[in-house]
Amino acid sequence: MSETQADALVFFGATGDLAYKKIFPALQALVQRGTLNVPVVGVAKSGWTLDQLKARARDSVEHHGGLDQDAFARLCDLLRYVDGDYGDPKTFEQLRQGLGSAKHPVHYLAIPPDVFELVFEQLQKSGCAEGARVVVEKPLGHNLASAQELNRTLHSIFDEKDIFRIDHYLGKNTVQNLLFFRFSNSFVEPIWNRRYVESVEITMSESFGVQGRGSFYDHTGAIRDVVQNHLLQVLTNIAMEPPPGSETEILRDIRVMVLRGIRSLRPEDVVRGQFRGYRQEPGVNPESTVETFVALRLFINSWRWKGVPFYIRAGKCLANTVTEVVVKLYQPPAIFGDVPPPANYYRFRVTPELQIAVGAFVKVPGEEDRGEEQELLILHPEDPNEMGAYEELLHDALQGNCVHFARQDYVEESWRIVDPVLDNATPIHEYEPGTWGPAEAEAIGPHGGWYNPRVE
Ligand code: BG6
């Protein structure tokens, strides 16, 4: 049914954390922009009434982005609520009734993956899956085998074109800009290869810890939480070939090609860390060996990238909160004096706001041939009117536009890459909160040390 405008939005997990932090604010924003005017049915098993759900929605928008009285009132008019167990056919009978004459609902599963299968089964049995699309949230599997199993289950009910796998990084304007910037400027592409690029570094640092999500995080860890999905997506945008147009499936084909060129990680390519104090977090096993930090190194086997190391680093309780990519070029030769200038680089900040910078060496005033490092900088401060990632992705799912969603083969390739280094394949090293992770990460880092993003 893709490309058909959906006529209802159902979201499972309506009383949960994701709905509270992301979905209600995105729904209000869609109403505000005039792009949501179909029934919105929340489903959960909390024993709540519709009024309680509305109160929760109000609280959510008040705390996440702000209440717009008018848009919120219109959202409340669209809102319905079905309370019941996901294993109980009655819940889905009620849902079928709640959907009324809708023929093309979107079912968004903002629920833990262990209940996905149950919900798929009930959707099918109750007839709610007919003509429908499904949106699933990460984690999409726990490793390669479970991701394949999930895909098999999904395909037994839905066509691939009707399955929308959310990775909210794909909804970020800043992540989309990596691609846009590369392929819209003629000064980038000629040097974007192994002849000019010495290394690529992707850092996702977060100064906060697990923020009450201890029991989720302790079954997940940094590799599953952000590397297998968000950071490989960022890497894909940096490394992919230019597409011959913007046709969705071609773009998705080219994205998968990047991952196909990456050998599965080996333990010697990976260093895992855990911040001191993590084991005392509520919900965390006091003897946990789950990583809250990971540093890794990989290569892409392609004509463009052969031999160029890509480094990824991600962690909680690090020195600051920022996600940046640094593409370092080879050092220029020494012409003015004996010492070569420092290497030029491109720096892309993708969170918390867009920055694109080129590191250059510039002569200082005076007679001597002396230079200093400067950045040519494009800043794009966060614009409150810009579509947020969830708003954009929900909008796309309602329209049937899957370009910013991960396809089955992409998800499986990304699991294939990290699969051998999941769990305890490598030792865990403790690090102090507020630092850049364990010292052991230096051993696999770039020549000259890791680049630590600075936050002004
Ligand atoms: C989520 C992870 O997917 O992404 C979190 O589960 C992480 O652990 C978050 O903090 C980061 O997203 P953003 O948009 O704040 O960079």
Side-chain angles (χ1 to χ4, degrees), residues 138 168-169 172 204 206 208 213 216 225-226 230 316 351:
K138 80 178 240 293
H168 79 279
Y169 264 51
K172 283 185 190 280
M204 177 177 187
E206 295 179 313
F208 48 87
R213 297 158 77 217
F216 157 79
D225 190 36
V226 297
H230 307 331
K316 302 278 185 198
T351 69

Side-chain angles (χ1 to χ4, degrees), residues 121-176:
E121 205 180 294
Q122 295 292 348
L123 282 174
Q124 192 180 31
K125 283 191 184 148
S126 60
C128 293
E130 233 165 85
R133 252 174 234 145
V134 66
V135 179
V136 280
E137 267 288 339
K138 80 178 240 293
L140 302 171
H142 200 61
N143 52 24
L144 177 59
S146 56
Q148 288 168 329
E149 180 58 36
L150 173 64
N151 279 328
R152 272 194 290 276
T153 309
L154 274 165
H155 285 153
S156 65
I157 303 171
F158 299 97
D159 284 344
E160 176 64 25
K161 67 175 178 12
D162 294 324
I163 303 170
F164 288 63
R165 299 175 186 81
I166 285 204
D167 179 325
H168 79 279
Y169 264 51
L170 289 178
K172 283 185 190 280
N173 174 49
T174 53
V175 174
Q176 293 166 10

